[in-house]
Amino acid sequence: MSAPSDPKSRSLKPATLLVHGGSLRSPFGEMSEALFLTQSFAYPTMQAAEARFKGDDPGFIYSRFSNPTVAMFEQRMCLLEGAEAARATASGMAAVTAALLSQVKCGDHVVAARALFGSCLYVVEELLPRFGVSATLVDGADLAQWKAAIRKETKVLFLETPTNPGLEVYDLKALADLAHEAGARLVVDNVFATPLLQKPLELGADIVVYSATKHIDGQGRCLGGVILGSQALIEENLHNFLRQTGPAMSPFNAWVMLKGLETLQLRVAQQTSTAARIADFLASQSGIARVLYPFRDDHPQAALARRQMTGGGTLVTFEVVGGKEAAFAFANALGVVKISNNLGDAKSLITHPATTTHQRLTPEARAALGISEGLLRLSVGLEDPDDLIDDMERGLSAARARA
Ligand SMILES: *Cc1c(COP(=O)(O)O)cnc(C)c1O
């Protein structure tokens, strides 16, 4: 295998890194990244096996630990994110769970924003406390609440921004400073922003996690996750945890993700531009109570979003007048946009959080997150923007008839 990457490659622009970054070539010189669908690796001699297990020879041992195709994906993600090290996982939730569990032990404390992806909320609220790790949930936009929640046992601050589904934006720089003053680490789930529109590590975060299932695959195929941070943090906290507990990414999925990364910038740019246009269109229509989009001036954290992100993202959340019945009528009337709780796909997808992803929450908890009965979350895909606007018009007519 040839050298993993040009040492100068960190100075290349993202579009270039997304196509070439981290490529390893076998002696065949294949142009497209090879799929090493293998569990294990043969050693030429017993001495070589011994050296590899000792760590004296950096070669591959077993695909639960690492694999050439997975390593290419990890390296490409490092270059894109500006991280020293990365580990790929089987899903986004495997990444979140490992990123949190590997940092804490019994007696420790975690502070997290209340507005979390449903499964992240389960890990923080239900799983960690089972092992003696307590958690405090706060309103992520209120720095005073974060400050008040931190105690001497606090090891991790955890958040997503923009949030699901309310697209709230939290101040990463301020929260990183707060975490570090307290001797804690900031872990950021950066899925909604994508690696292109927001750089948490540059703003002081210690760990960034992704569900690669979303924009990184971008075409609705494979599950995957990735955890990025400093070499020391990944090696000391995560490496052994992942190696021994086994939430490894399949080489096949890593290969799909590598192909996804090649078009990530084009897709995210196009989807963001269409999302901004749809947000503005919806905001101009009767029958829509409010539109949430980070780069619109009426977004509660618009100034922060513009400071911290380079685009408003590929999701638009809006509230239809007329509650659940009108929201259902809106979504059911759509032809191009499909009803699905996924996001970041090339296909536009719409979901009703109150009855799907956030159904498990009490009505009070939903209200605290602004998840009303009329709220819909749209993940904008790669279709022609005019066709999507026409679809929104179909939805609006149906919703107005029920309002
Ligand atoms: C989808 C998602 C996850 C979980 O990822 P999976 O790949 O589905 O396990 C975690 N956080 C956010 C913000 C997500 O959107």
Side-chain angles (χ1 to χ4, degrees), residues 350-375:
I350 198 161
T351 189
H352 184 249
T355 52
T356 60
T357 54
H358 292 71
Q359 187 188 145
R360 206 169 58 85
L361 269 58
T362 62
E364 297 74 38
R366 277 198 294 273
L369 295 173
I371 302 172
S372 64
E373 295 289 311
L375 200 79

Side-chain angles (χ1 to χ4, degrees), residues 90-94 96 117 119-120 160 162 164 189-192 210-214 222-225 342-343 377:
S91 69
M93 280 322 302
V96 170
F117 184 77
S119 300
C120 296
E160 299 165 16
N164 174 40
D189 178 335
N190 203 38
V191 167
F192 274 49
Y210 290 99
S211 165
T213 312
K214 311 296 167 49
C222 291
L223 296 180
N342 199 12
L343 64 103
R377 187 199 73 192

Side-chain angles (χ1 to χ4, degrees), residues 82-133:
E84 289 173 7
R87 291 292 184 277
T89 56
S91 69
M93 280 322 302
V96 170
T97 306
L100 294 178
L101 275 182
S102 64
Q103 312 283 326
V104 292
K105 60 178 186 328
C106 183
D108 287 344
H109 175 242
V110 170
V111 185
R114 188 172 291 113
L116 288 180
F117 184 77
S119 300
C120 296
L121 196 62
Y122 164 82
V123 171
V124 170
E125 249 193 331
E126 294 186 37
L127 187 66
L128 293 180
R130 273 202 229 159
F131 301 94
V133 178

Side-chain angles (χ1 to χ4, degrees), residues 253-383:
N253 288 9
W255 181 82
V256 171
M257 298 303 173
L258 277 163
K259 295 289 124 189
L261 283 177
E262 290 184 356
T263 57
L264 181 70
Q265 188 171 40
L266 285 172
R267 286 184 285 104
V268 169
Q270 174 65 27
Q271 287 166 252
T272 297
S273 141
T274 309
R277 184 173 153 198
I278 291 177
D280 289 342
F281 170 77
L282 289 172
S284 73
Q285 299 295 305
S286 67
I288 297 290
R290 65 185 171 134
V291 173
L292 293 161
Y293 187 70
F295 266 36
R296 272 183 58 80
D297 290 338
D298 56 4
H299 185 280
Q301 296 96 28
L304 172 63
R306 286 185 186 273
R307 203 160 67 233
Q308 175 168 296
M309 301 172 70
T310 54
T314 68
L315 289 120
V316 182
T317 296
F318 55 98
E319 188 175 336
V320 174
V321 175
K324 176 179 165 184
E325 210 188 326
F328 273 28
F330 186 106
N332 285 336
L334 301 175
V336 176
V337 177
K338 304 302 173 205
I339 298 170
S340 172
N341 49 286
N342 199 12
L343 64 103
D345 196 326
K347 297 177 172 69
S348 291
L349 307 173
I350 198 161
T351 189
H352 184 249
T355 52
T356 60
T357 54
H358 292 71
Q359 187 188 145
R360 206 169 58 85
L361 269 58
T362 62
E364 297 74 38
R366 277 198 294 273
L369 295 173
I371 302 172
S372 64
E373 295 289 311
L375 200 79
L376 291 165
R377 187 199 73 192
L378 176 68
S379 169
V380 177
L382 287 172
E383 300 92 344

